[in-house]
Amino acid sequence: MNDMNEMITFLYNLQPSKLINTEDFYEFEEKQYNFLLYPVKRSKEELIDIYQICEELKNKGLPVHTFILNRENKIISQIFDQNYILLKMETKKEEEMNVIDIIEFQNRLVVSKAKTNLYRNNWSDLWSKKVDYFEYQVRELGKNKKVILNSFSYYIGLAENAIAYANNTNNKFNFNPTGQICLNHRRLDFPNLTKNYYNPLLFIFDLQVRDVAEYLKSAFFKSQTDAWIEFKAFLNIQKRSVYEYQMFYARMLYPSYYFDIYERIMNNEESEEKLISFIEKSSDYEKFLKKMYVEINKIVNIEKIEWLVK
């Protein structure tokens, strides 16, 4: 840790205190500000777009984290054979953002066609490729992973439902979506903390309903009551097109919560036991999806999934 302290001082002329090494990044304080040091997982082209987005958001008064340049005036630093980016948090107090906060933030930056490196709205293609890879991976490497072997086919089935639902929706609307493309994140957790939400390294562009769906999925597995309250708030804040509601429902069907942990297990970063609490709530989640369908259909008629909505 002392070596990392010294590298931060050398590269950024900062004197870090309380340096913490979390699972994915380093965090430290300096002169009452919080700094986050992240390994680089975005392409050069994506980073250029992200940097421009940050400038646009800051001009609108939004406190997204600031990229800190190193002693060579570059945003990327190599430390111990790994590339890193240093961010400064512009909010000193850690706060939670609910579904209304999320939508209000998204409405501040709707996509321009120049930001194509950050588009992620071809869900069914991305999901299909992932499912094919996961199935291959389990056949080749999953023989001793009992929790995965006993649950995998169920979640693949859910994913295939989500893919079919998204494909049917796109076909129905002739691939001419009526949903707004705006700023989103790769993932959102519940509670949704500003430390993560204002992190530009998580930014992508997608349908507005993506962030809400990922946030609600995370909320469900921590507090079903809070998840339902937030879902009702999402329905009440503004009416959407049939296309958006159906794509939202497709996203709720897709079990990203399972596959995210599955990938960490296969990378030896997590134990299989982490999946058990999710698996134990699978029937409750089906009921949650059914209740969602009923509530959405009070507003617009969306496609029905027979086995789920009996």
Side-chain angles (χ1 to χ4, degrees):
M1 197 71 79
N2 287 335
D3 290 338
M4 181 58 80
N5 265 302
E6 291 170 7
M7 289 302 296
I8 291 168
T9 300
F10 172 72
L11 289 165
Y12 297 101
N13 195 27
L14 295 171
Q15 303 296 325
S17 63
K18 300 180 183 177
L19 182 65
I20 300 168
N21 184 7
T22 71
E23 287 182 3
D24 301 312
F25 62 93
Y26 290 89
E27 182 174 357
F28 64 89
E29 295 179 11
E30 209 258 13
K31 293 180 181 175
Q32 297 183 335
Y33 280 99
N34 288 333
F35 291 83
L36 309 168
L37 186 68
Y38 277 91
V40 177
K41 297 180 180 178
R42 307 299 293 261
S43 69
K44 181 180 177 182
E45 293 75 18
E46 288 176 329
L47 287 171
I48 290 169
D49 280 356
I50 287 169
Y51 194 84
Q52 292 171 349
I53 287 165
C54 286
E55 294 303 301
E56 192 173 334
L57 290 170
K58 285 181 183 299
N59 289 337
K60 294 183 178 186
L62 293 165
V64 295
H65 303 342
T66 299
F67 284 92
I68 302 299
L69 302 180
N70 62 24
R71 61 191 306 215
E72 296 176 348
N73 286 321
K74 295 178 179 178
I75 65 169
I76 295 176
S77 298
Q78 189 174 56
I79 306 175
F80 309 131
D81 299 321
Q82 169 77 56
N83 287 331
Y84 286 92
I85 286 176
L86 183 64
L87 302 171
K88 183 179 81 169
M89 290 176 59
E90 296 300 336
T91 50
K92 294 181 183 178
K93 184 181 176 185
E94 182 73 296
E95 295 178 349
E96 290 184 28
M97 298 178 70
N98 62 24
V99 75
I100 294 172
D101 297 325
I102 291 166
I103 291 168
E104 287 178 349
F105 180 88
Q106 288 178 319
N107 287 337
R108 302 290 291 272
L109 188 62
V110 178
V111 74
S112 71
K113 289 192 164 111
K115 304 292 192 303
T116 53
N117 292 308
L118 302 178
Y119 272 48
R120 294 292 187 279
N121 57 324
N122 55 336
W123 299 353
S124 52
D125 288 345
L126 291 170
W127 292 344
S128 294
K129 287 173 183 172
K130 275 200 165 191
V131 165
D132 288 345
Y133 177 68
F134 293 158
E135 289 180 319
Y136 163 79
Q137 198 176 35
V138 166
R139 283 196 305 271
E140 297 298 316
L141 303 172
K143 295 178 177 63
N144 298 319
K145 301 194 182 300
K146 291 183 180 178
V147 176
I148 288 174
L149 289 175
N150 290 333
S151 59
F152 188 70
S153 60
Y154 171 80
Y155 290 100
I156 288 294
L158 268 185
E160 288 173 344
N161 268 243
I163 292 164
Y165 202 90
N167 276 332
N168 290 345
T169 301
N170 279 318
N171 287 330
K172 180 179 177 182
F173 289 88
N174 297 317
F175 296 90
N176 184 25
T178 55
Q180 181 171 276
I181 300 289
C182 60
L183 192 65
N184 280 265
H185 300 70
R186 284 180 155 181
R187 284 287 181 272
L188 278 192
D189 291 327
F190 176 90
N192 178 31
L193 302 177
T194 49
K195 179 194 296 183
N196 301 319
Y197 194 77
Y198 289 140
N199 178 0
L201 298 177
L202 301 178
F203 289 171
I204 57 169
F205 276 117
D206 206 335
L207 291 171
Q208 188 174 53
V209 295
R210 177 196 178 116
D211 262 6
V212 175
E214 293 301 330
Y215 172 70
L216 290 176
K217 281 187 277 189
S218 178
F220 174 85
F221 291 102
K222 292 171 183 172
S223 168
Q224 294 182 35
T225 301
D226 285 334
W228 188 252
I229 290 169
E230 292 287 76
F231 169 63
K232 292 286 283 183
F234 162 65
L235 292 186
N236 291 332
I237 192 170
Q238 67 188 68
K239 188 174 180 181
R240 298 170 187 280
S241 66
V242 176
Y243 176 85
E244 286 178 292
Y245 284 121
Q246 291 204 175
M247 293 302 278
F248 166 78
Y249 203 66
R251 191 104 209 163
M252 292 302 302
L253 277 167
Y254 184 76
S256 51
Y257 50 88
Y258 178 91
F259 291 137
D260 285 350
I261 298 169
Y262 161 85
E263 288 187 276
R264 293 184 69 85
I265 293 167
M266 299 307 277
N267 290 331
N268 298 313
E269 297 168 352
E270 199 77 72
S271 71
E272 278 194 286
E273 282 64 39
K274 188 72 180 286
L275 285 174
I276 293 172
S277 63
F278 292 87
I279 295 166
E280 288 175 343
K281 293 178 181 175
S282 59
S283 61
D284 288 339
Y285 191 69
E286 287 180 15
K287 291 172 188 172
F288 184 65
L289 289 172
K290 181 177 179 179
K291 282 176 64 182
M292 279 185 156
Y293 171 83
V294 171
E295 289 299 312
I296 293 170
N297 268 267
K298 292 176 181 177
I299 303 169
V300 297
N301 291 322
I302 63 170
E303 183 182 339
K304 186 177 182 180
I305 297 175
E306 292 295 337
W307 70 268
L308 186 60
V309 187
K310 297 173 185 174

